[in-house]
Amino acid sequence: MEYLNPARAPYTGQDRELIGTEHARRARAHFARRPAYRPTPVHTIPGLAGTAAAHVKDESARMGLGSFKALGGAYAVHLLAERDDTGTPVVCASAGNHGISVAAGAAEAGLPCHVYLAEDVPETFATRLRDLGAHVRRAGPDYDAGLRAALSAAQEHGWRLVADTSWEGYTHVPLDVMRGYTVLFDELTGPAGEPTHVFVQAGVGGLAAAAAGYVRDRWGERPKLVVVEPEGAPCLIESARAGAPVRVPGAPTTLGRLDCKEPSLLAHRLLNHLADLYLTITDDQAADAARHLARAGVTLSACGAAGAAGLLALTPSARHTLGLDHTSHVLLVGTEGPVEPK
């Protein structure tokens, strides 16, 4: 499914106070003080999908945590600790990677951490969370059930919720999470730092919205921004169709870290006027893209390769609409390395 965004509007800088290059620089300066911080590599694949080149920002070894999420939850926790040093525990729901980031940030800040995982999250994530000192609880069949449990626990115990999604009345912490993600884009130099197209995968949409805000602030109108979702969880594309955040019934998908049935309010609002195209991919297309990238020496999970799957699955009409051809330089985000099955 492909959906050309009719609400796309010229960038005027109106979102700069929320997401942009200045926030990225602040977040990057914050991480630069930490010994584990290193810019992640970019792998260039000439000719991928008929382009001049695709540039894959490889987040699979980010700060030893294995995904781009290392930049989000940890950053939000650090800022919470700076604002309030009372030692109040933090709590979150996670499909795996966000929880690891929150737990790592809490361990650095000396805060107790509680993470709610859905029943289908691989045990390898639970083990890593416990190794970071987090208290792990299983809650319900999916991410949404875990989020409800985390929110309930925060209200009951007075813990601080660190969610990677947002809703009316809860946007401050998720915005800090998104600002952390912009660090990966601020590291781009050379050809990867001058993309004509950006394909970015989405669950609730935090990374995609962070990309949108940063891309428009740094490069303006030139790059075309494409949001890629699982066919089984198209909450952003359906929200774009409706003109407001909607919850989708969805269908089973193996793309667990992208299996979100309701978008982040902040993400929807940003993408609604900054994204050019939304598209969905099948589980098989994501798995095929991961194998394709592996043959080029880039090892990612199917979720991590979902942006590449979108590029490879693009129809001729969409390619024409986006102006994607043999001269294009496409930026992709390899969001995570291989993950063991549940």
Side-chain angles (χ1 to χ4, degrees), residues 117-302:
L117 297 178
E119 293 162 2
D120 63 349
V121 175
E123 185 62 21
T124 182
F125 285 109
T127 299
R128 293 183 65 193
L129 285 163
R130 294 187 186 101
D131 288 345
L132 288 166
H135 303 280
V136 180
R137 294 172 172 82
R138 294 283 183 173
D142 54 26
Y143 171 83
D144 289 345
L147 182 59
R148 289 192 295 271
L151 178 59
S152 177
Q155 294 169 339
E156 179 180 354
H157 301 294
W159 297 341
R160 289 177 287 189
L161 180 68
V162 183
D164 57 354
T165 189
S166 60
W167 53 87
E168 285 293 351
Y170 182 75
T171 58
H172 191 79
V173 172
L175 184 57
D176 285 338
V177 172
M178 290 164 57
R179 288 169 174 169
Y181 297 157
T182 60
V183 171
L184 75 91
F185 300 102
D186 203 57
E187 294 170 350
L188 294 166
T189 60
E194 298 179 0
T196 59
H197 299 76
V198 180
F199 283 66
V200 60
Q201 52 268 60
V204 296
L207 175 64
Y214 184 91
V215 164
R216 295 288 171 242
D217 197 26
R218 179 172 171 181
W219 297 303
E221 290 296 296
R222 185 185 184 217
K224 299 297 185 182
L225 181 71
V226 181
V227 180
V228 183
E229 293 184 283
E231 191 176 67
C235 64
L236 284 163
I237 193 171
E238 294 303 335
S239 295
R241 289 182 187 278
V246 298
R247 181 177 178 81
V248 297
T253 174
T254 58
L255 303 178
R257 266 75 61 212
L258 302 177
D259 184 11
C260 301
K261 305 302 191 295
E262 192 167 358
S264 166
L265 175 64
L266 282 172
H268 164 72
R269 286 177 174 173
L270 283 162
L271 292 170
N272 192 51
H273 61 276
L274 295 179
D276 293 289
L277 183 78
Y278 297 82
L279 66 84
T280 60
I281 55 168
T282 66
D283 294 354
D284 287 343
Q285 286 171 328
D288 287 344
R291 287 189 286 269
H292 194 114
L293 294 183
R295 289 192 292 270
V298 185
T299 307
L300 302 169
S301 71

